[in-house]
Amino acid sequence: MQILTQTFTPYTLPLNEGGLRRGTLSKTPTFSINPLKKSWSRGVAFLVDWGGSFCHWAKNDKRVVFSAIDEGSLAPGVQRKRKVVEHICLFKAKEDLSEEQEKDMLDYLYTTQYHMRGIVALSLGRISEPNPEQFTHAIFMRFQTKEDLAKFYENPFYLGVLKEHVMPYCHGFIYLDYESEVEDDILPIFRKGEEFNYGVELMLLIAFSRSSLVGPADDAMTSLANLTVEFPSLIVQATKGQNLNITNMEYTHGVVIRFRSSEAFKIFMNSSEYSTMWKSKFQPFIQKVLSLHFSVDPVGTDLM
């Protein structure tokens, strides 16, 4: 069963003379989002940046960039980066979970992004293959700051969703959080646009030995990051970092990689480059690793 993700919630503006809807920049935007309408117009979205401004992006428009760094201050060829905080949650569904119960649970988890500030991207789904820890479902969230993540854990709405729509069906939860960097462009930050509509989400939870946390672990994670950059035809985005969640330190590091397709995922994971890098940089220093993935598909194609 494939779980649908990637929702754009459109905000309707008056038509201009060319028959197109155009967005504007505003320091005090006044629009609302209906969390119950989980659909998007074909290639259209409104995205909110760090400072509260918003922009419209259409399929044939050029990208609009919001950056914390003055572009003129960068050396030629240097890519601007933005810090983000990634959240991974894995859980085990009960064996008698019905499709209706699963849909209800995942729908409520998905709509948390519309009820709380700070969540800028979210994907979730049923894990595609069995794993040693027997986790069945995974959810990925991206936050603007560590403070937003801390508020998320204490948010009454989120706690209510867990109590009423997740706990009755699941057990064996595990959380991992880490800080990373992404391209300082509004689409990769919010994981929106055609590149993020389909594909495979890979999550790696890695436990390095304590003695290797300073040097070898950093070297291994950097090597993996460098390798993902070499395969732009297979990989849309990859982030990695050291676990910040002091309440759950079973794994020391986390990685999330979005592949363009299931074929791209298989090509990369079976490549000699990945195998060689893993054997030389990771295997000598890790205690255990958990590798999970799930399919990603867009929700809807019509404007509501």
Side-chain angles (χ1 to χ4, degrees), residues 39 138 168 190 283:
S39 66
F190 288 84
Q283 282 188 355

Side-chain angles (χ1 to χ4, degrees), residues 110-167:
Y110 192 87
T111 56
T112 55
Q113 63 187 307
Y114 304 121
H115 293 270
M116 292 176 286
R117 296 175 61 109
I119 302 176
V120 298
L122 186 152
S123 66
L124 51 75
R126 173 179 282 274
I127 295 169
S128 299
E129 296 178 0
N131 56 88
E133 300 293 332
Q134 299 182 338
F135 288 109
T136 60
H137 294 78
I139 182 169
F140 164 81
M141 294 183 184
R142 172 171 293 166
F143 294 84
Q144 298 180 25
T145 65
K146 295 177 184 178
E147 291 74 18
D148 288 325
L149 175 65
K151 293 177 182 178
F152 162 78
Y153 274 116
E154 300 176 353
N155 189 286
F157 178 82
Y158 173 67
L159 296 176
V161 168
L162 290 181
K163 181 179 179 180
E164 299 177 18
H165 302 281
V166 180
M167 296 294 190

Side-chain angles (χ1 to χ4, degrees), residues 46 152 261 301:
F46 279 87
F152 162 78
S261 65
T301 56

Side-chain angles (χ1 to χ4, degrees), residues 282-296:
F282 283 84
Q283 282 188 355
F285 307 107
I286 59 175
Q287 296 176 331
K288 62 178 179 177
V289 60
L290 186 59
S291 177
L292 309 168
H293 66 278
F294 59 88
S295 297
V296 176

Side-chain angles (χ1 to χ4, degrees), residues 254-268:
V255 176
V256 174
I257 303 176
R258 169 64 67 85
F259 290 90
R260 298 185 183 277
S261 65
S262 58
E263 291 75 17
F265 166 75
K266 293 175 184 177
I267 292 172
F268 181 82

Side-chain angles (χ1 to χ4, degrees), residues 37-95:
K37 292 186 177 181
K38 293 176 56 183
S39 66
W40 51 287
S41 58
R42 194 171 282 106
V44 179
F46 279 87
L47 307 177
V48 180
D49 82 324
W50 283 194
S53 301
F54 74 95
C55 77
H56 167 265
W57 174 79
K59 187 174 182 179
N60 296 321
D61 287 346
K62 295 182 179 179
R63 295 182 179 183
V64 179
V65 178
F66 293 89
S67 175
I69 304 173
D70 183 0
E71 189 172 359
S73 66
L74 294 173
V78 176
Q79 191 177 61
R80 290 173 292 114
K81 294 289 186 177
R82 168 83 69 171
K83 285 188 176 182
V84 292
V85 179
E86 315 284 57
H87 168 75
I88 296 174
C89 176
L90 309 176
F91 47 96
K92 306 173 186 179
K94 296 179 180 178
E95 294 183 1

Side-chain angles (χ1 to χ4, degrees), residues 208 215-226 277 281-282 285-286:
F208 284 96
D218 292 340
D219 179 54
M221 298 297 282
T222 299
S223 297
L224 177 57
N226 291 339
M277 182 274 303
K281 300 294 185 178
F282 283 84
F285 307 107
I286 59 175

